[in-house]
């Protein structure tokens, strides 16, 4: 196990009817900007609950944050914060809204061109506004970590950033807020959480037994609850387990002291930026192909994954690895997420376009061994055709 430091200051407020606790969580003298995405937060009544809980505080709202939050949209929120001297942000939504809120929290106090925050991965963040979240879509884990992703539409750049200053002060997790989600978004969330876990687990053995078992438990939970999560949208216990699993998948705990990959995400980001494919769906496209191309580098963990997550114990080592990758692909496909670029009418031209973007963003040594260069990214993308 590698040396590590683990610190996560986010307070989790989990359970039914917990939105009312905003009255105590948000400072009484705060000048609040509620940030949200589309009309669903209003239609479901969540925004009304939030407004009621905030009481007599000064409150403004900013809606329209996209599923892949754009720099252009977020800069309008920055202007609102600065112009009206707002000092507390409250994200009401899923990972995209929370990511966007993190960017605004840093950008509003940044002395310079805010896009530099994304370009430098957040290393230049020196201060940020305080913020909290009300989670309505379990998927990204952004409600309990310090990272985010933002897209510049004008240039098709989708970049990640993180800073110790960008942990939410608190996150309210009420599983009932997920009951009205479309099945597509629930399926995306299941896959997003699954791949977050594998990016920290499917690398090479590091004698981190606790982290391995924890990650395997999260993966097994997602596989177990997936059918019910889709079929029974108002099953509170299933949605509670989904919400907490997605949070734990990327709050830093299972990644402490172990090698991490993240190549699937980096390649997937380029597919989203270029072709506007849902984030989770790009992960479903890339991961099975990447596991196949990297099967030798990941051999030990793929065998462990096959046995512990999928109960694959028969056959040669190569056969077991092939079966584990096939089960992963089938899991995604059964949830309605294609694992081939051809499902999106994309072919070799998409391979070339993604490679060009990877080169432009200096994503030329990815993976836990830093051995996924452009040539290997080409093999991965072509394996996904």
């Amino acid at each position: 196990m590698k040396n590590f430091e683990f610190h996560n200051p986010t307070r989790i407020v989990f359970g039914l009817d917990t939105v009312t606790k905003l009255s105590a969580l948000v400072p009484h003298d705060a000048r609040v900007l509620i940030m949200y995405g589309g009309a669903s937060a209003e239609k479901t009544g969540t925004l009304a609950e939030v407004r009621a809980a905030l009481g007599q505080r000064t409150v403004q709202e900013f809606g329209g944050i996209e599923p892949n939050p754009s720099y252009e949209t977020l800069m309008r929120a920055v202007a609102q914060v600065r112009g009206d001297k707002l000092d507390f942000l409250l994200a009401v939504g899923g990972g995209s809204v929370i990511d966007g809120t993190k960017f605004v929290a840093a950008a509003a106090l940044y002395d310079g061109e805010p896009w530099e925050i994304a370009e430098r991965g957040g290393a230049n963040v020196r201060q940020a506004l305080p913020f909290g979240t009300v989670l309505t879509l379990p998927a990204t884990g952004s409600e309990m970590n310090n990272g985010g992703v933002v897209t510049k539409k004008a240039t098709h750049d989708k970049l990640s950033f993180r800073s110790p200053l960008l942990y939410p002060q608190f996150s309210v997790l009420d599983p009932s807020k997920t009951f009205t989600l479309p099945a597509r978004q629930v399926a995306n969330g299941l896959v997003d959480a699954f791949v977050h876990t594998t990016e920290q687990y499917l690398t090479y053995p590091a004698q981190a037994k606790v982290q391995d078992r924890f990650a395997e438990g999260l993966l097994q939970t997602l596989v177990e609850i997936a059918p019910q999560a889709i079929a029974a949208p108002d099953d509170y216990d299933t949605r509670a387990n989904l919400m907490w699993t997605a949070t734990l998948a990327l709050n830093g705990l299972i990644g402490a002291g172990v090698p991490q990959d993240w190549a699937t995400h980096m390649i997937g980001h380029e597919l989203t930026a270029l072709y506007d494919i849902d984030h989770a769906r790009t992960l479903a496209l890339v991961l099975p192909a990447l596991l196949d191309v990297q099967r030798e580098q990941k051999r030990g963990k793929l065998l462990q994954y096959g046995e512990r997550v999928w109960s694959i114990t028969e056959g040669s080592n190569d056969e077991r690895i092939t079966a584990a990758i096939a089960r992963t692909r089938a899991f995604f496909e059964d949830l309605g997420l294609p694992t081939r670029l051809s499902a999106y009418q994309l072919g070799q031209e998409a391979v070339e376009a993604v490679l060009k973007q990877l080169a432009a963003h200096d994503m030329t040594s990815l993976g836990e061994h830093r051995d996924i260069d452009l040539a290997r990214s080409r093999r991965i993308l072509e394996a996904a055709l």
Side-chain angles (χ1 to χ4, degrees):
M1 193 185 309
K2 297 182 176 183
N3 292 1
F4 68 89
E5 293 184 15
F6 177 74
H7 173 70
N8 192 315
T10 300
R11 178 179 181 179
I12 297 295
V13 182
F14 190 101
L16 193 63
D17 299 326
T18 44
V19 172
T20 59
K21 296 192 176 184
L22 288 172
S23 60
L25 293 167
V26 178
H28 289 288
D29 60 349
R31 296 175 57 83
V32 183
L33 180 65
I34 300 172
M35 301 184 65
Y36 61 97
S40 62
E42 188 76 78
K43 290 179 180 177
T44 59
T46 300
L47 277 180
E49 290 183 57
V50 169
R51 295 184 193 112
L54 292 176
Q56 299 304 308
R57 294 171 179 83
T58 297
V59 176
Q60 294 188 26
E61 298 179 8
F62 183 89
I65 297 173
E66 306 93 334
N68 294 292
S70 74
Y71 172 74
E72 292 84 352
T73 296
L74 298 176
M75 284 307 296
R76 291 194 280 110
V78 170
Q80 186 172 340
V81 169
R82 290 173 173 173
D84 294 326
K85 297 181 172 54
L86 306 176
D87 57 20
F88 194 95
L89 307 180
L90 183 61
V92 179
S96 293
V97 172
I98 299 171
D99 282 8
T101 300
K102 290 176 181 179
F103 184 81
V104 172
L109 301 181
Y110 185 71
D111 184 17
E113 165 51 54
W115 183 245
E116 295 170 0
I117 295 169
E119 289 179 323
R120 295 192 57 192
N124 48 352
V125 175
R126 299 289 177 264
Q127 54 186 336
L129 291 174
F131 67 97
T133 88
V134 176
L135 183 67
T136 62
L137 172 57
T140 72
S142 192
E143 66 276 5
M144 200 179 178
N145 65 43
N146 65 345
V149 182
V150 64
T151 299
K152 198 171 191 178
K153 288 184 175 180
T155 56
H156 298 292
D157 291 319
K158 182 173 182 177
L159 301 178
S160 59
F161 61 93
R162 64 180 55 252
S163 166
L165 299 174
L166 294 177
Y167 283 100
Q169 288 194 346
F170 62 81
S171 287
V172 174
L173 278 60
D174 180 345
S176 71
K177 299 304 175 194
T178 73
F179 289 175
T180 58
L181 289 171
R184 177 188 179 100
Q185 291 185 327
V186 176
N188 283 355
L190 286 158
V191 171
D192 203 0
F194 192 96
V195 180
H196 285 160
T197 306
T198 61
E199 294 270 55
Q200 301 163 87
Y201 167 71
L202 275 177
T203 55
Y204 56 84
Q207 296 303 311
K209 297 181 183 298
V210 173
Q211 294 92 318
D212 277 5
R213 290 293 188 183
F214 202 163
E216 289 154 3
L218 296 177
L219 294 171
Q220 289 174 316
T221 299
L222 291 167
V223 172
E224 179 182 339
I225 68 174
Q228 184 74 353
I230 299 296
D234 58 352
D235 180 337
Y236 180 87
D237 288 332
T238 296
R239 291 299 175 91
N241 279 285
L242 172 55
M243 185 169 266
W244 190 224
T245 301
T247 299
L248 291 170
L250 201 58
N251 72 346
L253 191 58
I254 65 171
V258 299
Q260 300 184 26
D261 186 346
W262 300 111
T264 295
H265 272 72
M266 296 304 100
I267 297 170
H269 284 171
E270 304 299 355
L271 285 165
T272 295
L274 287 167
Y275 303 107
D276 200 27
I277 302 171
D278 297 355
H279 169 63
R281 290 171 180 259
T282 69
L283 304 181
L285 288 169
V286 176
L287 181 66
L290 182 142
L291 294 180
D292 196 29
V293 170
Q294 294 292 96
R295 61 165 53 212
E296 289 306 316
Q297 291 85 342
K298 297 179 181 290
R299 190 174 186 82
K301 289 304 277 289
L302 277 169
L303 288 167
Q304 180 176 313
Y305 165 70
E307 179 176 349
R308 294 186 182 178
V309 176
W310 297 111
S311 301
I312 298 169
T313 58
E314 301 294 327
S316 68
N317 286 351
D318 283 338
E319 288 170 341
R320 288 161 59 192
I321 289 172
T322 297
I325 296 171
R327 292 291 295 275
T328 306
R329 186 184 295 278
F331 177 60
F332 296 163
E333 294 275 359
D334 287 346
L335 285 169
L337 279 74
T339 59
R340 300 290 183 185
L341 287 164
S342 57
Y344 298 94
Q345 291 75 53
L346 296 176
Q348 191 64 38
E349 75 291 344
V351 174
E352 305 304 329
V354 171
L355 291 171
K356 182 178 179 180
Q357 289 295 90
L358 288 170
H361 296 144
D362 199 29
M363 298 292 175
T364 56
S365 57
L366 302 173
E368 66 271 27
H369 297 292
R370 316 303 294 174
D371 61 344
I372 300 180
D373 56 13
L374 291 179
R376 193 157 297 189
S377 289
R378 177 183 292 279
R379 287 178 58 196
I380 291 166
L381 286 162
E382 290 180 343
L385 287 172

